[in-house]
Amino acid sequence: MSNHLICETSPYLLQHAQNPVDWYPWGEEAFQKARTEDKPVFLSIGYSTCHWCHVMAHESFEDERTAALLNRGFVSIKVDREERPDIDSVYMAACQAMTGSGGWPTSLFLTPDKKPFYAGTYFPKTARYGMPGFCDLLEAILDAWMHDRVNLLQSADAVASALTETEKTHNKPETDLILKACSTLQSSFDSTYGGFGRAPKFPSPHNLLFLLQQYEKNGDRQALFMATLTLERMYAGGMFDHIGGGFCRYSTDRRFLVPHFEKMLYDNALLILVYSKAFELTGDSFYLDVAEQTAAYLLREMQSKEGGFFCAQDADSDGEEGRYYLLTPEETVAVLGKDAGEAFNACYDITEEGNFAGKSIPNLLNHPRQTKRFESEKQALLRYRKKRAPLRTDDKQLTFWNALAITGMCALFHVSQNPEYLRAAVQAYWFVQRNLKQGETLFTSFRNGKTGSRAFLDDHAGLALAELSLYAATLDQTYLDAAVWRAQTAIDEFFDVQAGGFFFSGPKNETLLIRSKESYDGAMPSGNSIMAYVLTRLSTLAPDRISKKLPEKQMTYMKHQAASAPMGFGMFLVALSDYEQPPVEVVAVCAQEDAGMLPALVPLGANLLMLERETSAYPLLDGKKTYYVCRGFTCLPPANELKKDWLLSR
């Protein structure tokens, strides 16, 4: 048995192609069927490595009775949120508006004209956890559709209207967002275990990057402490995979011990960037070691032979969350031998009683900051672990997520000077150029030789950020030119000339219920936050092509959005700080014989520009390579060599 998903390329949709539910992919065929048969639409949004998506699938979508009920009374549509972030954005906003919260799987009931009238997330098959049973819910909605449709349609119209009004609202701009954000972060900081709030704890790397920036620019030692303690504790806990490297999605507990075990490309890409920056600022090799272990995981398990990076690895194996990662003392002794095994167990907290489901998640909570011990033992355990039921890998390659990986790899190259990381970044970039573009049209996803939908704001913004990172790493003018072109394309397709900010979708994308704007930084920085950063950088690096009025307009828009909760706008705050307090600017003018890269001591985030020949504004000094450095609104005299203290932001 198969349904209408059988010809899709998304791993998530293909996981449901053999369900007894007659699933359709998002498209006119499904909605026309709903109109013709006068049925409501059941819309289920998720992604392939989502644990609770799997649970709901096993309980309900593989169940014959539930499927019969769905097939009789509804038209059922499956959406991969990673392939269609535009659909996810609109209907997640609807779910949050209707229920006060959201998450995946997202479960919505729509009219045939795509308006939601009921929403939720995971529903158990039978009533429990204080939630209605899914079959009971289906029966109730069918009854209301048949006998109380007027109220359902009124509810749908009200939700659609509320979403439209939400797009128009603006908060009063905060006079000092940066100060307010630092204060808010400090008030929620867990000074014992790191992170913010209690549990669950997410990595929020853009907030950590903002805190590191505040130390770099203003000497804020409390900001440094909050960032570095969090980075140390995230690594020490079970959220970091101490056998194979890389970070899991988030911690379910305050101590970062028990993770939600899925591994996402974007988390690891952004954390490589943050750990690299922490190493640059502190000189502590601990942070470099963690960044390199994380990069090793991505290069070993998540990069295709063509150079692109895959999306994610599942939390489940053999139907159990986390089973792939757990160890017992007997297993480690059997693999490593008695002495080495017992020493490993003592260090990594692998005990008879265990810390998760009777087994142990390896962790260093009792021995933090150890990164170099047991290297050969970890390799042996990694080989042993690979004999288990393999983790499912979502091998879609997404433009936005690959752009974040490129940015992280460039940062790691910058602080390590290891060409392997730059090579990986360049390979991923040209993978995107070859496979996710057709002519000048950019697409959001690629799998099995097929592209997905036309690119959205995040794809363009992320790719411009990646091109700026590649330019900083190589000083190849091609990348800077590409970043300017990409930013201008985003302006042309997504910028809201009347109200400011960037829409998520452009006029060439599919028209949905609303044309949303996303400004809040969730697990990933929003396209609007990244555009604020990109435009600020480009207005300095290419002032003849990107007007300074553009970042000014974007800052004004984003200040309104961030006013009530600046802690949720970490990447924008990085951009705002650079806008208000520009980073070091270095212009290198090359003599004919000595063109090449700038010294590695130029900090991450500096504005770098290399001129292949002298100009009237930037003449050579004594006929040799000459550096012009501006810092804190002050320019230093030209010099033939750079000094590190010239490059400090403060």
Side-chain angles (χ1 to χ4, degrees):
M1 180 188 296
S2 60
N3 52 46
H4 295 80
L5 303 181
I6 196 65
C7 294
E8 296 298 305
T9 59
S10 158
Y12 177 62
L13 298 188
L14 290 172
Q15 286 170 17
H16 296 82
Q18 304 295 333
N19 288 170
V21 177
D22 189 20
W23 292 113
Y24 282 78
W26 179 275
E28 181 54 28
E29 181 183 3
F31 288 103
Q32 183 58 51
K33 178 180 173 67
R35 288 190 290 269
T36 300
E37 298 181 5
D38 192 30
K39 291 179 177 178
V41 171
F42 171 58
L43 174 63
S44 177
I45 304 173
Y47 57 103
S48 73
T49 58
C50 165
H51 172 70
W52 287 103
C53 298
H54 296 328
V55 173
M56 191 167 178
H58 296 322
E59 289 180 347
S60 295
F61 304 147
E62 295 171 7
D63 176 67
E64 296 286 349
R65 175 179 170 244
T66 309
L69 189 53
L70 280 168
N71 295 342
R72 184 181 80 244
F74 301 83
V75 175
S76 300
I77 296 176
K78 263 286 174 193
V79 167
D80 182 338
R81 77 173 183 98
E82 295 166 355
E83 279 197 336
R84 292 301 304 266
D86 56 333
I87 297 171
D88 180 59
S89 173
V90 169
Y91 290 102
M92 179 60 73
C95 182
Q96 290 169 334
M98 297 167 81
T99 69
S101 62
W104 298 279
T106 317
S107 304
L108 304 105
F109 295 89
L110 320 180
T111 64
D113 59 355
K114 306 177 184 177
K115 294 180 181 179
F117 59 84
Y118 190 89
T121 53
Y122 162 77
F123 291 103
K125 181 182 174 183
T126 56
R128 63 181 187 274
Y129 311 132
M131 293 184 284
F134 188 55
C135 285
D136 295 337
L137 177 63
L138 295 177
E139 294 278 14
I141 287 176
L142 275 180
D143 182 70
W145 184 258
M146 295 298 295
H147 302 110
D148 193 20
R149 192 177 305 188
V150 171
N151 280 333
L152 288 187
L153 296 179
Q154 287 176 346
S155 174
D157 288 339
V159 172
S161 176
L163 291 176
T164 303
E165 287 302 311
T166 299
E167 288 300 304
K168 296 178 181 177
T169 60
H170 290 287
N171 297 302
K172 183 179 179 181
E174 177 69 36
T175 54
D176 197 337
L177 282 171
I178 289 174
L179 185 63
K180 183 177 179 180
C182 288
S183 176
T184 304
L185 286 166
Q186 185 166 344
S187 66
S188 64
F189 177 61
D190 184 340
S191 59
T192 302
Y193 296 109
F196 301 90
R198 296 188 68 84
K201 285 184 176 176
F202 292 82
S204 300
H206 22 294
N207 281 344
L208 299 176
L209 190 64
F210 164 68
L211 290 171
L212 290 172
Q213 182 195 53
Q214 291 311 295
Y215 169 71
E216 180 180 30
K217 288 190 173 186
N218 305 314
D220 187 338
R221 298 203 67 84
Q222 177 63 21
L224 178 67
F225 173 67
M226 288 191 286
T228 53
L229 180 66
T230 300
L231 292 172
E232 290 169 15
R233 293 294 178 171
M234 284 197 305
Y235 168 78
M239 203 172 97
F240 185 80
D241 177 6
H242 292 278
I243 305 300
F247 286 87
C248 296
R249 179 68 195 90
Y250 62 85
S251 175
T252 63
D253 67 293
R254 183 184 173 194
R255 296 193 300 151
F256 291 110
L257 172 60
V258 180
H260 180 41
F261 289 90
E262 64 182 329
K263 287 180 177 176
M264 312 301 293
L265 173 61
Y266 58 78
D267 284 322
N268 285 283
L270 290 166
L271 286 168
I272 288 171
L273 170 62
V274 177
Y275 278 95
S276 296
K277 187 65 182 178
F279 168 66
E280 180 184 68
L281 291 180
T282 66
D284 187 336
S285 61
F286 164 80
Y287 302 107
L288 179 61
D289 291 340
V290 179
E292 293 197 308
Q293 287 185 59
T294 306
Y297 157 70
L298 291 185
L299 296 176
R300 183 184 69 246
E301 299 193 31
M302 298 293 281
Q303 190 173 33
S304 70
K305 63 180 183 298
E306 294 84 9
F309 286 93
F310 302 138
C311 279
Q313 285 185 323
D314 209 333
D316 298 8
S317 58
D318 279 340
E320 294 181 25
E321 184 179 11
R323 180 171 181 171
Y324 183 80
Y325 296 100
L326 304 178
L327 291 170
T328 65
E330 293 77 18
E331 285 177 300
T332 56
V333 168
V335 173
L336 303 178
K338 186 175 186 299
D339 292 342
E342 289 180 351
F344 189 91
N345 289 339
C347 183
Y348 283 92
D349 189 30
I350 298 169
T351 63
E352 291 293 342
E353 60 273 17
N355 52 39
F356 183 80
K359 296 184 179 181
S360 294
I361 304 167
N363 69 86
L364 287 168
L365 289 173
N366 296 322
H367 303 277
R369 293 180 56 87
Q370 293 193 48
T371 60
K372 292 293 190 181
R373 290 186 64 193
F374 299 107
E375 289 302 311
S376 62
E377 288 85 354
K378 285 191 276 189
Q379 289 301 312
L381 288 168
L382 181 62
R383 291 191 294 271
Y384 167 75
R385 205 171 68 178
K386 282 184 174 294
K387 297 175 184 177
R388 295 174 169 174
L391 295 170
R392 183 189 292 112
T393 298
D394 185 332
D395 58 359
K396 288 194 314 295
Q397 288 142 309
L398 300 174
T399 297
F400 183 32
W401 298 13
N402 268 267
L404 297 177
I406 292 165
T407 301
M409 289 293 177
C410 284
L412 184 52
F413 163 71
H414 183 94
V415 299
S416 70
Q417 291 297 291
N418 184 337
E420 177 185 14
Y421 305 126
L422 179 59
R423 196 158 46 240
V426 171
Q427 287 174 344
Y429 180 73
W430 289 107
F431 173 87
V432 171
Q433 298 299 306
R434 289 191 305 270
N435 297 287
L436 284 138
K437 283 182 66 180
Q438 293 177 10
E440 298 301 337
T441 302
L442 185 67
F443 294 88
T444 195
S445 64
F446 177 83
R447 185 174 185 268
N448 287 351
K450 295 181 181 179
T451 55
S453 56
R454 191 182 184 95
F456 304 103
L457 171 65
D458 289 3
D459 301 303
H460 290 275
L463 195 54
L465 177 66
E467 287 160 344
L468 279 173
S469 300
L470 285 163
Y471 172 70
T474 65
L475 290 177
D476 183 337
Q477 183 72 26
T478 303
Y479 294 120
L480 181 58
D481 292 341
V484 171
W485 189 91
R486 183 62 50 200
Q488 189 59 56
T489 300
I491 294 164
D492 294 342
E493 291 194 18
F494 304 99
F495 189 65
D496 184 347
V497 177
Q498 281 74 38
F502 289 81
F503 291 109
F504 189 82
S505 299
K508 297 177 183 178
N509 296 109
E510 180 183 350
T511 301
L512 298 175
L513 189 63
I514 59 169
R515 195 178 178 199
S516 64
K517 290 179 189 171
E518 290 197 347
S519 55
Y520 184 85
D521 292 338
M524 291 171 282
S526 70
N528 268 292
S529 287
I530 295 176
M531 285 305 298
Y533 181 83
V534 165
L535 291 173
T536 299
R537 295 290 302 279
L538 287 177
S539 67
T540 299
L541 293 173
D544 54 330
R545 292 182 282 175
I546 297 292
S547 167
K548 288 190 179 295
K549 291 182 179 179
L550 285 168
E552 180 182 350
K553 290 179 180 178
Q554 184 65 0
M555 293 299 165
T556 300
Y557 171 79
M558 289 295 288
K559 282 180 180 179
H560 282 282
Q561 301 304 308
S564 60
M567 182 178 168
F569 293 79
M571 188 64 199
F572 163 63
L573 294 173
V574 171
L576 180 63
S577 181
D578 278 353
Y579 178 75
E580 294 180 343
Q581 195 176 351
V584 171
E585 181 178 333
V586 180
V587 178
V589 188
C590 296
Q592 193 166 8
E593 70 278 4
D594 64 1
M597 293 184 183
L598 292 181
L601 56 85
V602 176
L604 277 169
N607 284 320
L608 313 176
L609 194 64
M610 180 172 282
L611 303 179
E612 294 181 356
R613 60 186 64 85
E614 64 180 332
T615 66
S616 58
Y618 295 103
L620 290 169
L621 180 66
D622 298 330
K624 300 177 183 178
K625 190 173 191 175
T626 304
Y627 297 101
Y628 291 81
V629 177
C630 294
R631 185 189 71 198
F633 304 103
T634 301
C635 293
L636 303 178
N640 296 125
E641 292 185 5
L642 281 175
K643 294 183 179 179
K644 188 170 183 177
D645 61 344
W646 292 357
L647 301 171
L648 298 175
S649 293
R650 59 181 190 277

